Amino acid sequence: MRRIEKRMVNGETALDDEEKRKIKKTKLASDLKGVIRKTEGLAELLVLSIIYYEIWKFNYRGNITPLFSGNGKYVLILVYGFLLLILFYMCDGFKYGHRKLSEVIVSQWISIILVNFVTYFQLCLIGNRMLNVLPIIALTGVDICVAIIMPYMFSVIYHHMYVPKDMLMIYGDEKAVDLKFKMDERPDKYVITKVLSYESGYEVIKKEIRKHDAVIINDVPVQVRNDILKYCYEREIRTYVVPMISDIIQRGGEEINLFDTPLYLIKGRGLNPAQRFMKRAFDIFLCIVALIPGIPIMAAVAIAIKCEDHGPVFYKQERVTGNGRIFDILKFRSMVVDAEKDGKPHLAMDNDPRITKVGKVIRATRIDELPQILNILKGDMSWVGPRPERPEYVELYMKEIPEFVFRFKVKGGLTGYAQIYGKYNTSAYDKLRLDLMYIENYSFFLDLKLIIMTVQIMLKKESTEGIDKVEELEKKRQELIRNETAAAMGNDGKVTR
């Protein structure tokens, strides 16, 4: 069969035989990995569905036999499996090896508990009476065990097949190097062996790209980024690109197909009226539901705070929400009285002496945020959205990042993209990018997913790391850049190009 040889873009030379073999090998490995991961996910769903069937058969079948004496029972099992599929997918429970094992396990536990809770009441409705809950509790216990064993097995398989890539990071501003230290926390998946400034020159960059298995492009000028991306795309080199603000805005655009030229419509108005109405209705409903278990917890925390130092239970602080409006956010007091007696804001540090004993517990578990349910009911906030910042910090951030004002297209939230995927010390620019990804991709199901995933984030210690981690990151960044610069120097003391 005849094939037309591909022309290279940007005047590049044609691929040699070694590059072609490498592309073919990489593509085969990627396809095989995708098939295996899907098979593993289906296998776990099948095991959990079979366990449910056995529990149902021996404990509930007699109560609903008239309806499910024939093939109807298979519909019941399919519904259970489908609910698990949806929840696992929403909570990233299928990402064996891609996410940390503990994160996958916790995601599956949350999904299993929710599905089994719904399933119990489903069976009660079918049986037209309240059924014995012990079999469902037993089912949940067995499912939790399965959700430890199978993700562990699949993660081992993933890491055995997927050797960490020999990666090259091409950066612009020095702060972009910080991404390397974040990715170094996952050596099982990412291994960055070299960082290189885009100012090294295009020819030097191409030479280094050919030595590596994957490339990361971070904070590189648009034209240079496009040339690098096209070069990697032509050679099917795995490429990670950190999006700019304009990239994120464009992703949320509406595709227009009226002409033979592709168009994207960017409205830039945030949520439309229907979305705002649905979001507000969901906020109110969830507040009512959350207050049922929340009131006893809040009462216990209030008593503990009062008993420790006899100070006020609540703490009010000015924050900025949608359209730049300032409101008083309500929190449980977690620091000593007059923690900011000088009148200036101070970010919390790790082991901050101002934090009380009760405060350490409620901050670690995010219980100090519970009173904000009242802010949501009032309409100052939403359950999901950009985290409201203090006016002093907003003014500071807007001087450095004018685009920071884009966050105010929606109300502030109790949780959000930056809270799920970021940390306490995540930079303002990175938080802005995460918040814009939420605003430009808003949907009811995205809100639901982020709320469910918030439960998982509450169990992660690193999500509450203090601001002192920034200083540590600064030292590591400067040391890395000095070492890379020294390695690039020639004998005459000039940087080689």
Side-chain angles (χ1 to χ4, degrees):
M1 181 182 295
R2 296 177 59 198
R3 294 181 184 272
I4 297 177
E5 290 295 325
K6 295 187 292 184
R7 292 180 179 271
M8 305 300 291
V9 298
N10 294 341
E12 305 292 351
T13 57
L15 300 174
D16 57 33
D17 292 338
E18 183 178 351
E19 286 179 311
K20 290 179 180 178
R21 285 194 296 270
K22 185 177 180 181
I23 290 173
K24 186 176 180 180
K25 182 180 179 181
T26 302
K27 184 184 294 185
L28 179 63
S30 180
D31 292 344
L32 180 61
K33 183 177 69 175
V35 171
I36 291 175
R37 290 183 68 180
K38 287 180 174 61
T39 303
E40 290 170 343
L42 290 174
E44 184 171 6
L45 287 178
L46 181 61
V47 169
L48 293 172
S49 297
I50 290 173
I51 295 171
Y52 168 64
Y53 172 72
E54 294 299 324
I55 293 289
W56 172 81
K57 183 171 67 174
F58 290 106
N59 296 276
Y60 296 120
R61 185 173 184 176
N63 296 291
I64 52 179
T65 298
L67 292 175
F68 294 92
S69 57
N71 294 329
K73 59 180 176 289
Y74 299 119
V75 175
L76 200 65
I77 307 307
L78 284 173
V79 169
Y80 183 80
F82 181 74
L83 288 175
L84 281 176
L85 172 66
I86 296 299
L87 267 294
F88 274 23
Y89 179 77
M90 287 181 61
C91 298
D92 295 339
F94 287 125
K95 294 191 174 181
Y96 316 110
H98 181 75
R99 300 188 68 189
K100 293 180 180 179
L101 177 60
S102 59
E103 294 176 350
V104 174
I105 290 174
V106 172
S107 294
Q108 292 197 1
W109 284 359
I110 294 170
S111 302
I112 286 168
I113 291 170
L114 288 173
V115 169
N116 288 354
F117 178 81
V118 171
T119 298
Y120 170 71
F121 287 102
Q122 174 195 34
L123 293 175
C124 290
L125 286 172
I126 294 172
N128 200 30
R129 64 187 179 86
M130 296 303 294
L131 303 174
N132 184 6
V133 73
L134 293 179
I136 287 292
I137 294 176
L139 170 66
T140 304
V142 175
D143 285 349
I144 285 175
C145 292
V146 171
I148 296 174
I149 297 170
M150 297 192 77
Y152 174 78
M153 292 169 50
F154 297 152
S155 294
V156 169
I157 293 171
Y158 178 89
H159 293 306
H160 179 73
M161 292 185 58
Y162 183 82
V163 179
K165 297 293 182 182
D166 181 19
M167 305 177 76
L168 167 69
M169 174 178 284
I170 303 168
Y171 69 92
D173 186 88
E174 289 185 356
K175 291 183 179 180
V177 177
D178 293 352
L179 179 60
K180 176 190 183 314
F181 306 121
K182 299 175 185 178
M183 299 180 78
D184 284 347
E185 296 176 3
R186 289 295 307 274
D188 57 321
K189 189 170 176 61
Y190 304 108
V191 176
I192 299 174
T193 54
K194 186 175 181 63
V195 297
L196 184 68
S197 170
Y198 81 96
E199 294 179 344
S200 299
Y202 188 47
E203 292 303 319
V204 173
I205 289 173
K206 289 193 296 182
K207 183 179 178 181
E208 289 296 335
I209 287 175
R210 290 193 291 268
K211 296 178 183 178
H212 293 78
D213 296 321
V215 176
I216 304 169
I217 306 173
N218 190 4
D219 195 34
V220 172
V222 175
Q223 185 56 53
V224 179
R225 183 185 70 169
N226 290 347
D227 289 340
I228 296 171
L229 186 57
K230 291 174 184 177
Y231 183 84
C232 295
Y233 185 80
E234 183 71 27
R235 288 161 175 77
E236 299 185 23
I237 297 172
R238 186 181 291 262
T239 308
Y240 300 82
V241 181
V242 178
M244 298 179 179
I245 296 296
S246 56
D247 298 327
I248 298 172
I249 293 173
Q250 182 176 323
R251 283 181 59 185
E254 178 184 348
E255 185 177 335
I256 304 295
N257 292 311
L258 296 177
F259 315 100
D260 56 359
T261 298
L263 287 175
Y264 279 98
L265 172 60
I266 313 297
K267 297 181 180 179
R269 64 179 186 180
L271 279 56
N272 61 43
Q275 289 174 326
R276 289 197 295 270
F277 175 80
M278 180 180 293
K279 190 172 178 64
R280 181 59 182 155
F282 181 63
D283 284 342
I284 295 172
F285 170 77
L286 202 57
C287 282
I288 295 171
V289 173
L291 282 174
I292 297 173
I295 288 176
I297 296 173
M298 292 169 69
V301 172
I303 293 171
I305 293 173
K306 200 69 178 177
C307 289
E308 181 174 5
D309 60 7
H310 307 291
V313 171
F314 297 108
Y315 172 66
K316 291 183 179 180
Q317 191 179 76
E318 285 190 343
R319 295 291 179 100
V320 184
T321 186
N323 297 319
R325 185 170 64 86
I326 297 176
F327 74 103
D328 287 328
I329 199 170
L330 195 62
K331 302 175 71 173
F332 279 125
R333 183 174 58 84
S334 60
M335 291 188 175
V336 296
V337 179
D338 297 327
E340 293 180 346
K341 55 187 175 182
D342 59 358
K344 298 179 181 179
H346 299 281
L347 291 175
M349 311 283 283
D350 285 344
N351 301 315
D352 196 314
R354 298 175 299 163
I355 301 175
T356 63
K357 293 178 182 179
V358 174
K360 290 180 180 179
V361 176
I362 62 176
R363 287 172 71 93
T365 56
R366 309 290 179 88
I367 292 176
D368 61 323
E369 312 283 359
L370 274 180
Q372 288 163 42
I373 294 176
L374 303 178
N375 287 118
I376 298 172
L377 277 173
K378 186 180 176 182
D380 293 329
M381 296 172 55
S382 176
W383 276 95
V384 183
R387 189 66 182 150
E389 294 283 358
R390 299 175 70 165
E392 299 89 344
Y393 291 131
V394 169
E395 292 178 6
L396 178 63
Y397 294 149
M398 287 180 65
K399 289 179 182 178
E400 300 177 359
I401 314 168
E403 300 91 343
F404 199 79
V405 70
F406 297 165
R407 299 171 81 248
F408 303 140
K409 291 183 178 291
V410 297
K411 290 180 183 178
L414 181 61
T415 187
Y417 242 62
Q419 282 65 52
I420 301 297
Y421 298 107
K423 298 180 181 179
Y424 185 76
N425 58 10
T426 298
S427 70
Y429 191 74
D430 282 338
K431 285 182 178 179
L432 173 61
R433 286 193 282 205
L434 289 168
D435 288 330
L436 285 178
M437 288 179 71
Y438 167 74
I439 294 171
E440 294 302 322
N441 295 279
Y442 166 78
S443 71
F444 170 78
F445 291 104
L446 179 58
D447 269 10
L448 194 59
K449 173 182 178 177
L450 294 177
I451 288 171
I452 294 173
M453 291 188 70
T454 300
V455 179
Q456 174 186 326
I457 297 303
M458 289 171 63
L459 304 176
K460 290 175 62 177
K461 179 182 182 300
E462 60 264 31
S463 64
T464 58
E465 288 177 351
I467 197 65
D468 51 342
K469 293 290 183 181
V470 175
E471 298 177 2
E472 180 183 336
L473 206 60
E474 173 75 21
K475 293 178 182 178
K476 293 170 69 175
R477 181 202 312 147
Q478 295 300 329
E479 182 180 357
L480 176 65
I481 291 175
R482 282 198 302 269
N483 292 339
E484 290 295 331
T485 302
M489 297 290 287
N491 294 330
D492 58 355
K494 296 180 180 180
V495 178
T496 56
R497 298 293 185 188

